[in-house]
């Protein structure tokens, strides 16, 4: 492995935590004997181009300093290559890091872990999801939760988790289940009324909402969580249980396991790692060992 490591930094992640977190991460890597260069971007497209250039130039590792949005960009640069990805998770959600069991919002500890793991060659292969040419690490969400994302993205106030909560209340007021057509790896077609369908490579989204609590990043399969066409009252009772993952015990919730899945529903946008992919229908496949992760 080359001695140069690339820090891929979102300076605005976590209200500025990204820029501050890059300093202890860089210090830990330099103390371990690595040369460090830092990559920013003027926008998402520019940032991705710079990350891909670093990978093409043979960087020893790409270390993403930010939240799930930046990790999503980093995955586009390293997936399918031999370049390992390190994480210093300092965003709002950090769900990919949570699934990997990495330190969250502790940049000094995360930086030391990356440095120690690189020195000890502690690198593991984990699965990713793929939709067309887009990779994702956590969950492909659609339905009620993606409608909440749509609304939250249009809002300018409030910030952080409160924006999501307010958007959820607004969507509840006009909520109706969606007619889904779901095709999984067994080829069976399921036409159902559903509140949401979540395709989980990882277990959580939205900062710890364990929508697919049994998902495993190394088994080559998605956990596909289908919440049936329940009414607002049932949804209000079931949805808070997603933080513990116990919603899957409710009779309106079904979990399938499959290496592939296609979802179709009118007027619904798909989001992966919290980033918009586009309107349904979307087809996803699980790619075993698609990315090399730095860590224990």
């Amino acid at each position: 492995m080359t001695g140069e490591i690339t820090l891929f930094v979102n300076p605005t992640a976590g209200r500025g935590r990204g820029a501050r977190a890059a300093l202890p991460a860089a210090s830990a890597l330099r103390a371990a004997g690595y040369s460090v260069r830092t990559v920013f971007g003027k926008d998402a497209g520019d940032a991705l181009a710079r990350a891909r250039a670093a990978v093409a130039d043979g960087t020893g590792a790409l270390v993403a300093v930010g939240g799930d949005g930046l990790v999503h960009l980093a995955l586009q640069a390293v997936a399918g290559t031999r370049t390992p990805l390190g994480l210093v998770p300092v965003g709002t959600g950090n769900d990919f890091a949570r699934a990997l069991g990495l330190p969250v919002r502790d940049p000094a500890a995360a930086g030391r872990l990356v440095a120690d793991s690189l020195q000890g060659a502690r690198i593991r292969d984990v699965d990713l999801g793929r939709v067309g040419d887009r990779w994702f690490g956590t969950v492909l969400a659609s339905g009620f939760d993606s409608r909440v994302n749509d609304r939250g993205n249009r809002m300018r106030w409030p910030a952080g988790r409160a924006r999501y909560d307010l958007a959820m209340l607004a969507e509840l007021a006009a909520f109706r289940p969606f007619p889904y057509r779901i095709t999984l790896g067994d080829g069976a077609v399921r036409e159902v009324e559903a509140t949401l369908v979540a395709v989980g490579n990882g277990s959580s989204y939205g900062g710890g909402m364990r929508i697919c609590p049994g998902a495993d990043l190394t088994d080559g399969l998605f956990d596909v969580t289908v919440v049936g066409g329940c009414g607002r009252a049932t949804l209000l009772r079931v949805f808070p249980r997603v933080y513990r993952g116990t919603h899957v015990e409710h009779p309106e919730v079904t979990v399938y396991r499959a290496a592939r899945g296609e979802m179709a529903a009118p007027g619904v946008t798909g989001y992966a790692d919290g980033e918009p992919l586009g309107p349904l229908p979307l087809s996803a496949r699980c790619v075993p060992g698609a990315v090399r992760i730095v860590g224990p």
Side-chain angles (χ1 to χ4, degrees):
M1 178 184 295
T2 178
E4 182 181 85
I5 306 299
T6 302
L7 288 185
F8 185 39
V9 181
N10 180 356
T12 63
R15 300 185 186 180
R17 281 193 297 267
R20 295 191 296 273
L23 298 176
S27 295
L29 287 163
R30 290 190 178 108
Y34 293 102
S35 171
V36 178
R37 70 164 171 157
T38 302
V39 168
F40 297 92
K42 293 177 289 187
D43 53 36
D46 181 55
L48 178 54
R50 292 171 185 265
R52 282 176 166 157
V55 171
D57 288 345
T59 187
L62 188 70
V63 179
V65 184
D68 284 327
L70 188 78
V71 171
H72 184 77
L73 278 182
L75 290 175
Q76 313 315 308
V78 299
T81 76
R82 298 301 296 164
T83 302
L85 175 66
L87 301 181
V88 179
V90 291
T92 302
N94 306 309
D95 287 287
F96 194 47
R98 292 174 195 273
L100 292 164
L102 301 176
V104 172
R105 295 188 187 172
D106 188 343
R112 288 193 299 270
L113 177 62
V114 169
D116 292 346
S117 297
L118 287 171
Q119 283 189 309
R122 295 196 299 275
I123 296 171
R124 49 181 164 151
D125 294 339
V126 303
D127 306 340
L128 293 178
R130 192 167 192 181
V131 177
D133 62 356
R134 290 276 292 276
W135 300 91
F136 68 93
T138 57
V139 177
L140 168 57
S142 69
F144 175 72
D145 44 7
S146 64
R147 282 288 182 87
V148 171
N149 262 326
D150 286 340
R151 182 179 290 270
N153 288 342
R154 295 193 299 269
M155 295 166 62
R156 294 295 173 261
W157 181 92
R161 166 62 58 186
R163 179 186 301 172
Y164 183 90
D165 292 341
L166 190 61
M168 183 168 65
L169 290 173
E171 283 299 320
L172 273 171
F175 172 72
R176 295 288 186 279
F178 306 94
Y180 270 91
R181 181 183 175 91
I182 304 168
T183 307
L184 299 180
D186 59 4
V189 177
R190 297 166 174 86
E191 295 189 354
V192 298
E193 290 282 313
T195 300
L196 64 86
V197 177
V199 179
N201 182 55
S203 58
S204 70
Y205 60 9
M209 301 170 69
R210 302 182 65 232
I211 189 68
C212 301
D216 184 336
L217 290 170
T218 61
D219 65 356
L221 296 171
F222 294 129
D223 276 28
V224 182
T225 299
V226 180
V227 179
C230 53
R232 281 191 291 270
T234 301
L235 184 58
L236 281 169
R237 287 195 302 271
V238 173
F239 207 75
R241 294 168 59 178
V242 76
Y243 288 97
R244 301 187 303 276
T246 57
H247 61 290
V248 296
E249 300 166 4
H250 193 279
E252 288 285 358
V253 179
T254 305
V255 179
Y256 303 96
R257 307 192 76 228
R260 294 175 177 267
E262 180 177 302
M263 303 171 295
V268 177
T269 301
Y271 282 77
D273 298 335
E275 302 297 312
L277 292 185
L280 271 55
L282 291 172
S283 180
R285 63 187 177 96
C286 185
V287 182
V291 65
R292 306 179 73 210
I293 296 293
V294 179

